[in-house]
Amino acid sequence: MLEGKRITLGITGGIAAYKTAELVSSLVKAGADVQVAMTTSAQKFITPLTFEVLTGNPVHTDLFQNDFSGGVLHIDLAQKTDLLLIVPATANIIGKAANGIADDLVSTLIMAATCPIMFCPAMNVAMYNNPICQINISKLKDCGYHFVEPASGRLACGVTGKGRLAELTTILQSIDQILTPQDLAGLKVLVTAGPTREPLDPVRYLTNRSSGKMGYAIANAAALRGAKVILVSGPTHITPPDLVDIVQVETAIEMHDAVLKHSDSSDLIIKAAAVADYRPVEISDHKIKKQADSMTVPLQKNPDILGNLGTRKQEKQVLVGFAAETHDLELYAKSKLINKNLDLLIANDVTLPGAGFDSNTNIVRIFWTDGTIEALPKMEKGQVAEEILDRAAKILRTRRGES
Ligand code: PMT
């Protein structure tokens, strides 16, 4: 997402300034070209040298440092930026920006920039809650500036409350969101992820090897592209993305109920979950004790959630299913595409290294209703998610009569 993006970071004078070194390092690692501008106060907390080393670029500290060919520093920097970040944003810089004051390089950059601008406030809780600061924040939000809310916790001044700089992952996710084209804005996307667990007794269950990575990657990508995302997830170890509404379920029946609750109002449904086809007929209310050398557990069929969605699919709704296969992939994929009334079927041969369960990558073939089969190379699940969303968005646009 950040490859080749030009990001300017304005650092102002708060103790959280030291945390910006890690932020800059993450941005550079993600491929961004990072320029840093610092206020005089910021330089009391951390030195420009740190950022010169991390970015490989000179650090800008002086509004009147017009020593490079043919440009006025603040105008040149502001124009060559895709995103201006103000981290940490003190009450002072927020107040200046809200009132049009431009008396140093960072505040002048804010006035001169036409790109998106994102403030990450960090300050003492009383300063943050001060009505003047809150009015200034509201004013800036009304003008279209972005804010990443500070977190609550123990502050450097010893007080506990809201005012800590937001977590790095939250800041990075907000940056991704701002820089991502919002082609799914206004759409509701329902995604399922992970395995289901079908209990046998209070201590045992039947499940499968799904980690949830594929479904979570789709949910995250759709949210970054502006969709309202409901993620119905079986048990996983993944932290839910900030931007999605998560519904945690355990069994196939719970997943069925949660999915059907949201399906009619969804524009796009993507079922990446690995749902157990069968569940034990009886759940013992006590631990089943070891007895004979062998035992048989009677199973009954779970509802086919995707099949039910296909039956009740609305005219403009797009339905995408997955198929995890170990053999005869094409045969099974085609039959699932047709029998479940899908618009796209994403098939993965889970026997291939780097594909299917638990890996960070996947190798998928995409089956279209006109008979087209696209074979994608091995890619990160995040990239697979983008490829699926690109195609689903195209079908949605056609169905809605949009270009
Ligand atoms: O979670 P990861 O570790 O990242 O792994 C990703 C994945 C391998 C789980 C994913 O890429 C994948 O293939 N998901 C579908 C797995 C699966 O259950 O395939 P299936 O062929 O058994 O089911 C076909 C489709 O019907 C799936 O969309 C499934 O969600 C759906 N289904 C299946 C059974 C059922 N009772 N109800 C369903 O809705």
Side-chain angles (χ1 to χ4, degrees), residues 192-195 208-216 236 238 252 255 270-278 301-309 320-325 332 336 340 342 345-348 350 355-362 364 381:
T192 69
N208 60 64
R209 297 157 63 92
S210 170
S211 63
K213 287 178 186 172
M214 189 66 249
Y216 276 62
T236 73
I238 308 178
M255 184 171 281
I270 306 183
K271 285 223 71 252
V275 186
D277 288 321
Y278 292 90
K301 235 185 189 167
N302 270 327
D304 181 345
I305 308 170
L306 190 55
N308 287 348
L309 292 173
V320 180
F322 269 76
E325 306 295 349
Y332 289 124
K336 283 174 187 169
K340 300 189 190 218
L342 308 179
L345 187 285
I346 318 300
N348 34 204
V350 294
F357 297 113
D358 203 24
S359 75
N360 293 329
T361 54
N362 207 352
V364 302
K381 282 183 174 164

Side-chain angles (χ1 to χ4, degrees), residues 313 317-321 333-346 366-374 391 395 398-399:
K313 190 165 77 171
Q317 199 170 52
V318 170
L319 187 54
V320 180
K334 282 181 175 166
S335 99
K336 283 174 187 169
L337 177 71
I338 293 161
N339 295 340
K340 300 189 190 218
N341 191 22
L342 308 179
D343 297 290
L344 288 176
L345 187 285
I346 318 300
I366 302 182
F367 290 74
W368 293 74
T369 50
D370 66 0
T372 306
I373 304 171
E374 288 181 272
R391 287 157 181 79
I395 301 174
T398 311
R399 209 153 282 176

Side-chain angles (χ1 to χ4, degrees), residues 187-248:
L187 297 178
K188 182 172 169 187
V189 178
L190 175 60
V191 182
T192 69
T196 62
R197 279 182 188 164
E198 310 300 330
L200 275 161
D201 69 13
V203 297
R204 304 182 183 92
Y205 49 76
L206 300 178
T207 191
N208 60 64
R209 297 157 63 92
S210 170
S211 63
K213 287 178 186 172
M214 189 66 249
Y216 276 62
I218 296 168
N220 191 41
L224 287 173
R225 288 165 73 154
K228 172 176 173 47
V229 178
I230 310 283
L231 172 61
V232 178
S233 173
T236 73
H237 296 289
I238 308 178
T239 309
D242 284 345
L243 301 168
V244 312
D245 290 335
I246 184 135
V247 182
Q248 305 274 9

Side-chain angles (χ1 to χ4, degrees), residues 119-166:
F119 289 85
C120 300
M123 65 193 80
N124 164 272
V125 61
M127 292 173 82
Y128 184 69
N129 288 334
N130 186 306
I132 297 173
C133 184
Q134 288 302 315
I135 288 167
N136 287 334
I137 290 174
S138 299
K139 204 165 157 186
L140 289 169
K141 283 183 179 171
D142 288 347
C143 293
Y145 295 92
H146 303 270
F147 274 80
V148 180
E149 292 254 310
S152 293
R154 191 178 180 283
L155 307 179
C157 54
V159 178
T160 299
K162 191 169 179 178
R164 283 165 62 98
L165 185 68

